[in-house]
Amino acid sequence: MTAPRAARRTIPLLILLAALPIACGEPGPKPKAGDPPAQAPNATADAGAAPQEPAFLSAEACGRCHGAIYDEWKQSFHGQAMADPLFLELSEDVVNKEECIRCHAPVPLREAQFETPVARASRREDAISCLSCHQDGANIAGPFGGLEGACRPVGDPRQRDVVKICFPCHNQHDTGNEYLAGPYAPEAPLPRQRPAESCITCHMPEVERPLVEGGVVRKGRSHTWRGGHSFAMLEKASALDVEVRPAEGGGFEIEVFVTNRGAGHSIPTDARHRSFDTYIKLWDADGRVVLDPLKRADQERSFLAKFRKFYRGSGKNDTQIPPLARVSTLGEGPGRFTTDLPKGRGEAWLVYRLTPRDALVEDSLKASEGPDDVQDTTVARVVHRVSFTFGK
Ligand code: HEC
Ligand code: HEC
Ligand code: HEC
Ligand code: HEC
Ligand code: HEC
């Protein structure tokens, strides 16, 4: 009986295979240029003696001194961008496609003038490496300046400029533009609805520690980049609430709202295969389940709305939720449910899917296990559940 199982697995994969190259490889809006090209290494140093390349070339070598940062980076999706199971699964013939490698194992951003980078020729296993974000010719650029170390550190304010350091890869699907147009941007209209935040302040939380073992304690940034894979980030990003009102012909109308309360961009953002979906579960007055999102036969009826950036050519309008917006639907699904039961109770669910094939199953209800609880790429996760009652 292996055939049906294999078939079930193949169909969604084919859809993904067909859709993802379009989804991820589109040429995106370019970040604002206007900056002079990265400076030549050691322009002021003695020309004859100037080193031509960085003192350390692999992330592991950086990690020998910057151990804490290395460990975080190694586990992050930047460190894993060439080993991510989803990327590999799709990459049978893609892994050799330069157009995919260019953001997953890129040359240094400064070498690419902070535009969408090109693929690196060597050390592709280092994925988005330390050098991708820090190399400046033979030097290593960082936010501080005036430090001394074997890596030849130099200060560069552009290290904290997210348009330069994040947008070259994260604006192809408008995440950067969504942020700049939103309430957290430095230029948001007054009076501000939210204090300014950036890709860095939200995704690289501040940590006080020495940069190298035994060094001076400094205010630095964690290199974890938690995002959609992290349950804690999904909880922070979203809130769910329910409005119940009597329906016109008797019974009740239940409307379920999602708020983007904590993300600096739309939710979901970036990769087109992700979505936030709402569902409803109902019990009658005798406590019997009458509608259950985990039951295959009920799943379509219990589905309320889908929030997603759809694949190109799907003919659908995007339904992502902008920062601070509270919506029940943006056109994909009714956003509400009418029951003719006179009395009962229910639960609204907010479900997150990394890919359309992620199944809503018993495991989806698993409670959060903290910030490092990373979602499986085949199982949907219930992020929030809200209870309500109707009738007297
Ligand atoms: C312009 C830069 C860029 C290019 C080119 C690019 N990607 Fe990506 N890719 C990204 C970014 C940024 C993310 C993270 C998006 C997110 O987390 O939502 C990503 C995420 C992914 C993911 C999701 C990983 C996960 O676990 O959710 C897959 C799969 C993927 N890319 C495959 C590809 C393939 C296949 C190609 C070539 C057709 C490609 N990418 C080309 C920037 C790029
Ligand atoms: C042999 C030890 C050593 C190695 C290996 C090393 N560094 Fe450093 N690095 C240092 C020291 C020492 C400092 C200064 C620490 C301080 O003063 O707090 C430093 C500082 C830095 C800074 C901060 C610069 C600033 O001014 O903001 C960055 C960024 C950095 N290193 C990145 C790297 C990267 C990337 C690599 C690998 C290519 C690397 N380092 C390899 C020792 C090392
Ligand atoms: C060189 C291209 C590149 C740059 C520069 C870059 N990223 Fe990424 N980022 C990616 C890719 C590719 C992925 C997806 C990797 C994967 O899962 O395969 C990703 C994933 C992420 C994720 C998602 C993690 C998750 O759980 O889904 C976050 C958050 C993130 N990046 C934030 C940032 C921030 C903040 C910056 C700027 C400081 C930045 N990135 C700079 C390419 C880049
Ligand atoms: C996706 C880009 C990116 C990658 C990859 C990356 N860094 Fe950073 N790093 C940054 C940014 C951005 C900052 C500055 C954050 C700030 O201060 O606002 C930073 C800061 C630092 C600092 C200064 C101290 C601190 O904690 O902020 C050191 C040291 C450093 N990085 C080392 C490394 C090493 C070593 C690696 C690889 C193991 C690495 N970085 C990988 C983007 C990156
Ligand atoms: C106010 C805090 C905040 C700011 C600012 C912010 N993010 Fe996020 N980001 C979040 C939260 C919370 C999530 C989790 C929700 C989600 O995955 O949609 C997230 C998710 C992501 C993801 C995963 C994609 C997804 O939808 O699952 C990526 C990639 C990302 N952010 C990149 C960025 C980049 C790049 C910037 C700057 C242009 C940025 N973020 C600015 C809070 C923020």
Side-chain angles (χ1 to χ4, degrees):
M1 281 307 286
T2 50
R5 231 180 118 215
R8 265 211 307 280
R9 213 173 138 71
T10 312
I11 294 160
L13 278 189
L14 284 176
I15 297 167
L16 272 168
L17 273 168
L20 264 169
I22 314 166
C24 221
E26 302 151 10
K30 292 266 158 69
K32 282 181 224 112
D35 245 60
Q39 277 194 327
N42 290 339
T44 52
D46 181 74
Q52 296 301 305
E53 56 171 29
F56 306 98
L57 294 174
S58 68
E60 202 186 354
C62 309
R64 272 176 234 146
C65 295
H66 303 291
I69 292 179
Y70 173 82
D71 290 345
E72 289 172 348
W73 166 85
K74 187 72 195 159
Q75 290 199 18
S76 77
F77 281 88
H78 287 153
Q80 296 291 320
M82 291 294 282
D84 181 343
L86 198 53
F87 183 72
L88 289 182
E89 188 181 294
L90 296 162
S91 64
E92 276 158 88
D93 60 345
V94 156
V95 84
N96 297 314
K97 275 197 196 151
E98 304 298 293
E99 78 204 63
C100 298
I101 308 296
R102 59 192 308 206
C103 295
H104 289 249
V107 300
L109 291 173
R110 285 171 179 80
E111 209 170 280
Q113 265 64 256
F114 299 103
E115 305 265 340
T116 303
V118 292
R120 196 164 62 231
S122 59
R123 289 197 176 78
R124 289 190 169 175
E125 66 282 4
D126 269 2
I128 301 163
S129 74
C130 316
L131 292 179
S132 303
C133 295
H134 287 289
Q135 184 184 343
D136 190 353
N139 298 328
I140 296 297
F144 299 111
L147 306 185
E148 284 184 19
C151 55
R152 293 192 285 269
V154 292
D156 181 355
R158 296 175 299 180
Q159 194 67 33
R160 284 185 172 148
D161 178 349
V162 297
V163 175
K164 301 243 165 357
I165 291 288
C166 311
F167 283 34
C169 308
H170 284 282
N171 207 20
Q172 64 162 345
H173 297 134
D174 283 338
T175 300
N177 294 337
E178 289 164 7
Y179 161 71
L180 289 179
Y184 303 91
E187 315 274 290
L190 299 171
R192 297 193 67 94
Q193 291 178 281
R194 285 288 184 280
E197 298 272 4
S198 78
C199 318
I200 292 178
T201 62
C202 286
H203 289 289
M204 300 180 73
E206 198 165 75
V207 276
E208 289 198 35
R209 62 185 175 196
L211 311 196
V212 294
E213 212 170 301
V216 181
V217 173
R218 302 188 193 278
K219 273 196 180 140
R221 296 262 167 204
S222 79
H223 280 56
T224 46
W225 298 285
R226 290 194 181 99
H229 287 84
S230 154
F231 200 88
M233 288 297 278
L234 297 172
E235 280 180 316
K236 184 191 160 194
S238 57
L240 190 66
D241 71 281
V242 181
E243 285 179 13
V244 182
R245 55 184 90 89
E248 266 174 36
F252 291 89
E253 186 180 78
I254 298 145
E255 188 166 7
V256 173
F257 292 86
V258 187
T259 304
N260 177 348
R261 68 169 165 190
H265 34 69
S266 300
I267 56 167
T269 189
D270 227 325
R272 288 180 186 272
H273 34 282
R274 300 178 172 197
S275 70
F276 281 95
D277 305 325
T278 50
Y279 287 85
I280 187 172
K281 179 168 179 174
L282 287 181
W283 288 261
D284 66 13
D286 300 325
R288 273 190 304 257
V289 177
V290 294
L291 187 66
D292 186 352
L294 293 185
K295 267 225 216 99
R296 275 202 154 199
D298 285 0
Q299 217 162 70
E300 213 176 296
R301 238 166 30 98
S302 63
F303 162 79
L304 296 185
K306 183 172 282 295
F307 303 100
R308 181 178 165 191
K309 193 175 189 79
F310 289 96
Y311 293 133
R312 286 234 167 139
S314 67
K316 295 188 177 201
N317 292 325
D318 293 339
T319 56
Q320 303 155 280
I321 308 170
L324 306 185
R326 173 181 178 265
V327 295
S328 59
T329 179
L330 287 168
E332 196 62 28
R336 63 190 76 192
F337 187 88
T338 308
T339 172
D340 35 18
L341 290 174
K343 182 174 150 78
R345 67 183 180 93
E347 263 177 20
W349 292 6
L350 180 66
V351 171
Y352 182 75
R353 289 186 158 94
L354 280 167
T355 77
R357 69 157 187 233
D358 286 10
L360 188 50
V361 291
E362 199 62 45
D363 262 4
S364 305
L365 290 165
K366 182 162 80 98
S368 168
E369 285 161 16
D372 291 317
D373 183 358
V374 166
Q375 179 162 336
D376 179 332
T377 57
T378 57
V379 177
R381 285 298 287 274
V382 177
V383 182
H384 293 290
R385 269 198 279 177
V386 171
S387 303
F388 59 89
T389 58
F390 52 91
K392 295 227 169 72

